Amino acid sequence: MNIHKRFIIQFFIQLILVFILFSFILLSIWAIIGFSIMNDEVTQDLAEADSYFFSERITIQSEKVTFDDKLKKLATNQNGWFLVLTAKGDVIGSYNAPEQVPTHFKESELAALMLQNSSAPIEYTHWKLDETHRQPIFLLFGRKNAESRVLNEVKSDVDWKNHLLNLSTTTLQHIEEEKAWVQLINSTGKVVDGYGPNKRPDTYSIQYLLTLSEEAHDSVAAYFDTETEQTILVGINNSKSSSTLEESLFKTISNRLLILFVVLFLLLLMGTFWYANKFGVPLITMMKWIQNLGGGFYEQPHDLHQRPIMLNKKGKLKRKYRLYKDLITTLAQLTETLQQNETGRRKMTQTREEWISGLSHDLKTPLSSIAGYAQMLESEDYLWTEKETREFAGIIVEKSTYMMELLEDLTLSYRLKNRALPIVKEDVDINEFIRRTIIHFINDPSNNHMEFIFQPHNGTVLASIDPKWFQRVIDNLLANAIKHNPSGTTITVSISPIEQHLITITIEDDGIGMNNETQDKLFQRYYRGTNTSDSGSGTGLGMAITKQLVQLHGGSINVKSTPQKGTTVRIIFPV
């Protein structure tokens, strides 16, 4: 999966999670506000509660009813009482009930209580409790209806014919106690008599009468006399309790909203840090990585302990970096490529400097010899014989040939070191290849003082080699064995396969051998150096080139030698 799809999936998941979180928060806010409103409403009026509210606060065990303290307090504050009844009408529990309340209700009495109208002097509200009983359990909450009681007293005092309230002293006393008001209204809606606060209207319209019962600050009861078409309105002012309810509700909602605002702010802050850590830190790390690459520092960022920042102790990507896996892989490949390019550049620069240094060093001596003999031939102070002239010319040719070989070897060494030498492999019979090489050395008259022995493998041995450059390897090794050993030395060349995948070529002599120092430095460039007096000294690059050519064929070369006992060179390379 590429980084584009991974980003889409990641952000889609984050969006879903944020949506779920905010939905949960909104539902929580709605539930808390609803619970607060319901709780405040119940505190002011138990009739607004549901059966679950009472089931949690009333315990019934063995026909014994227990009310919790909060429920008792609410009933007392609202001047009400509780009755717990069975389906048969038996009262099995009560709290704060008046003395005249019976211990058993008939079905007709229960129906009258539960289905009573709002004008009754006592209001009853009923619930079915959620208890695990065989028979249903009912709860009755009763309280006196003050406005209805005052209305009943006022009805008996009214002088309907003279349009007067004609209130008695007892009725006036009750009105004062209840802080009520009374008005007598004629058929046209005009107030003909009244008692109580003067802020009441003098005339009532039909629209106002329809909305009168919905006023929150007054509890109103009315009586219509059909004969005189007059109406009595009795109201009890609840402005104090209503105001208290509104203030309490406002305060509760404000506190809840403040808490929720703080919680939302903390969640937003935590979400900000989480997003910064998940998306920001990896981007900053990769920007630092790119900055390092631009500055020539080809490594990914490390921590204080010099460990890669993006990897854990197991060497795997940390979780917050896995989203950018493709980009990190690309950066790692780019870093590796730049490292290789930088290493190659430094290696090429070093090789070039070594080549120039070696070339200037190795050419200086033969050039000096050529220049010296040329000046001698040019000098007018001497007359050279024909023999001396030829001798001088021979030395100049010899040094020129040496310089040409040196340039070729230096070029070949430079190309090998930079892996710029083209190699073309083909299947060759190694037995026949080595046989022809040894015959060539035997046929050279200058090698008559040496004895050669060839031990081929029984059967055909095919190997994938470049004939030109592998010939250079065998020639160098045989030439060294001849050059550095005395007359009469026996040089043995043997071939033996190792299973079916490797071939071993061994060149062994019984000559003067080498000490440990010479063995250690045998494959170093310029170890032999040059010698102007010995044309056979070589360029000092032969063994270094030999090792590089063997490695180019995927093989290895090692030398074992003992002074005065001889040297063994073994080449192992794949078929």
Side-chain angles (χ1 to χ4, degrees):
M1 186 182 297
N2 58 34
I3 191 170
H4 179 69
K5 293 182 179 178
R6 197 176 292 115
F7 258 101
I8 292 176
I9 294 174
Q10 185 68 223
F11 280 108
F12 179 75
I13 293 174
Q14 300 302 324
L15 184 62
I16 294 295
L17 291 176
V18 170
F19 175 77
I20 293 173
L21 177 62
F22 273 94
S23 298
F24 175 76
I25 291 173
L26 289 175
L27 289 175
S28 300
I29 293 173
W30 184 266
I32 290 171
I33 292 175
F35 177 79
S36 300
I37 293 173
M38 184 188 73
N39 190 57
D40 288 331
E41 287 178 347
V42 170
T43 302
Q44 299 298 324
D45 188 359
L46 279 169
E48 299 294 334
D50 55 14
S51 61
Y52 180 78
F53 176 82
F54 295 106
S55 298
E56 291 291 312
R57 291 166 175 79
I58 298 176
T59 305
I60 303 174
Q61 293 181 348
S62 302
E63 303 299 327
K64 183 179 180 181
V65 181
T66 303
F67 300 89
D68 73 353
D69 294 336
K70 182 180 179 181
L71 200 57
K72 291 179 179 179
K73 185 178 180 180
L74 290 174
T76 303
N77 292 340
Q78 297 180 26
N79 297 318
W81 60 90
F82 290 113
L83 297 175
V84 179
L85 294 80
T86 64
K88 295 180 180 180
D90 295 326
V91 178
I92 60 174
S94 64
Y95 173 74
N96 203 30
E99 295 180 358
Q100 65 271 22
V101 174
T103 59
H104 175 79
F105 289 89
K106 296 179 181 179
E107 292 184 359
S108 59
E109 290 178 311
L110 285 176
L113 291 177
M114 294 180 180
L115 301 175
Q116 66 182 347
N117 56 39
S118 60
S119 63
I122 297 177
E123 290 182 348
Y124 276 101
T125 309
H126 66 279
W127 300 268
K128 182 180 178 182
L129 297 180
D130 297 330
E131 294 289 339
T132 57
H133 291 282
R134 289 177 297 177
Q135 295 182 353
I137 301 296
F138 296 95
L139 173 68
L140 293 181
F141 173 63
R143 61 182 172 184
K144 294 180 180 179
N145 191 337
E147 59 270 21
S148 297
R149 183 167 59 86
V150 172
L151 179 61
N152 291 332
E153 293 181 2
V154 171
K155 279 195 299 182
S156 60
D157 295 339
V158 172
D159 183 359
W160 298 102
K161 293 182 178 180
N162 296 316
H163 309 292
L164 296 173
L165 291 174
N166 197 22
L167 302 176
S168 65
T169 304
T170 303
T171 303
L172 290 173
Q173 184 179 357
H174 287 164
I175 292 174
E176 292 293 337
E177 289 175 356
E178 298 295 341
K179 298 180 181 180
W181 53 267
V182 182
Q183 288 183 318
L184 181 62
I185 305 173
N186 62 18
S187 59
T188 62
K190 183 178 180 181
V191 178
V192 295
D193 196 6
Y195 180 84
N198 296 325
K199 295 181 180 180
R200 304 305 304 171
D202 296 330
T203 304
Y204 286 89
S205 63
I206 296 176
Q207 183 177 359
Y208 187 81
L209 287 171
L210 291 173
T211 60
L212 187 62
S213 61
E214 299 177 2
E215 291 187 1
H217 59 277
D218 283 344
S219 296
V220 180
Y223 173 76
F224 176 72
D225 184 65
T226 55
E227 293 183 4
T228 61
E229 296 183 351
Q230 297 179 89
T231 302
I232 302 172
L233 290 181
V234 175
I236 295 178
N237 195 315
N238 293 328
S239 59
K240 182 176 180 181
S241 60
S242 177
S243 175
T244 303
L245 174 61
E246 292 177 357
E247 291 176 1
S248 175
L249 182 60
F250 178 76
K251 184 177 180 181
T252 302
I253 294 176
S254 298
N255 291 337
R256 298 291 191 278
L257 289 176
L258 179 61
I259 294 172
L260 288 172
F261 176 78
V262 173
V263 171
L264 285 175
F265 178 77
L266 292 176
L267 288 174
L268 180 62
L269 193 63
M270 292 171 59
T272 301
F273 280 107
W274 183 81
Y275 266 94
N277 181 68
K278 184 174 180 64
F279 298 105
V281 172
L283 290 175
I284 292 174
T285 303
M286 286 185 285
M287 288 173 64
K288 184 178 179 181
W289 190 353
I290 295 172
Q291 192 175 19
N292 289 344
L293 295 179
F297 184 66
Y298 306 123
E299 289 184 2
Q300 59 175 287
H302 292 75
D303 57 16
L304 297 177
H305 302 288
Q306 296 303 310
R307 292 180 300 202
I309 294 177
M310 293 181 287
L311 302 180
N312 55 26
K313 294 181 179 180
K314 295 182 180 180
K316 297 182 179 180
L317 277 177
K318 294 179 180 177
R319 184 178 298 275
K320 62 184 175 182
Y321 294 99
R322 292 176 187 173
L323 180 63
Y324 307 92
K325 182 173 62 176
D326 296 338
L327 181 58
I328 291 172
T329 302
T330 302
L331 284 175
Q333 293 174 350
L334 176 61
T335 302
E336 184 178 357
T337 301
L338 292 175
Q339 282 179 337
Q340 292 175 354
N341 291 343
E342 179 65 15
T343 302
R345 186 187 65 80
R346 292 178 179 177
K347 186 176 181 181
M348 184 174 296
T349 301
Q350 182 181 359
T351 303
R352 183 172 61 249
E353 292 176 354
E354 290 177 357
W355 189 85
I356 294 173
S357 176
L359 182 64
S360 61
H361 175 270
D362 292 338
L363 291 180
K364 185 181 296 182
T365 301
L367 280 175
S368 297
S369 297
I370 293 173
Y373 283 108
Q375 289 175 359
M376 291 172 65
L377 290 172
E378 185 184 22
S379 176
E380 296 179 355
D381 299 333
Y382 299 97
L383 293 174
W384 307 103
T385 63
E386 183 178 351
K387 181 180 178 180
E388 290 175 329
T389 302
R390 290 184 180 276
E391 182 180 351
F392 293 163
I395 294 173
I396 292 173
V397 171
E398 178 186 328
K399 298 304 178 183
S400 299
T401 302
Y402 169 78
M403 290 173 63
M404 292 296 296
E405 293 176 353
L406 177 62
L407 287 173
E408 290 178 359
D409 284 352
L410 284 172
T411 303
L412 178 58
S413 177
Y414 179 80
R415 294 174 68 188
L416 287 170
K417 194 169 185 179
N418 289 280
R419 299 184 179 276
L421 182 70
I423 184 170
V424 181
K425 291 183 179 182
E426 59 183 75
D427 290 337
V428 175
D429 185 348
I430 297 298
N431 278 337
E432 186 61 26
F433 183 85
I434 300 298
R435 188 193 310 276
R436 287 200 305 267
T437 303
I438 293 176
I439 291 174
H440 172 74
F441 275 86
I442 291 174
N443 292 335
D444 189 345
S446 61
N447 298 328
N448 290 338
H449 61 290
M450 296 290 182
E451 183 178 353
F452 294 91
I453 298 175
F454 179 48
Q455 297 176 346
H457 173 69
N458 295 329
T460 302
V461 180
L462 294 177
S464 180
I465 61 173
D466 186 316
K468 174 183 176 181
W469 298 118
F470 201 78
Q471 185 72 57
R472 178 71 177 267
V473 171
I474 303 301
D475 289 348
N476 282 352
L477 294 176
L478 291 175
N480 278 346
I482 295 170
K483 185 186 301 182
H484 299 292
N485 287 303
S487 297
T489 299
T490 300
I491 301 173
T492 303
V493 181
S494 60
I495 300 173
S496 60
I498 301 177
E499 295 182 349
Q500 299 178 349
H501 306 289
L502 298 173
I503 296 177
T504 299
I505 299 177
T506 304
I507 300 175
E508 185 179 1
D509 65 67
D510 56 358
I512 60 175
M514 293 179 287
N515 56 29
N516 291 334
E517 181 182 0
T518 303
Q519 288 186 61
D520 293 339
K521 298 181 178 180
L522 184 63
F523 295 109
Q524 292 183 7
R525 301 173 70 201
Y526 313 119
Y527 172 65
R528 287 298 196 182
T530 58
N531 188 343
T532 58
S533 63
D534 185 4
S535 61
S537 62
T539 63
L541 298 173
M543 291 303 291
I545 291 174
T546 298
K547 183 177 181 179
Q548 290 174 310
L549 287 173
V550 171
Q551 292 175 341
L552 194 62
H553 281 80
S556 63
I557 182 171
N558 63 81
V559 178
K560 292 183 179 179
S561 183
T562 303
Q564 307 307 320
K565 290 186 178 181
T567 301
T568 301
V569 179
R570 183 174 287 105
I571 300 173
I572 301 176
F573 60 96
V575 174

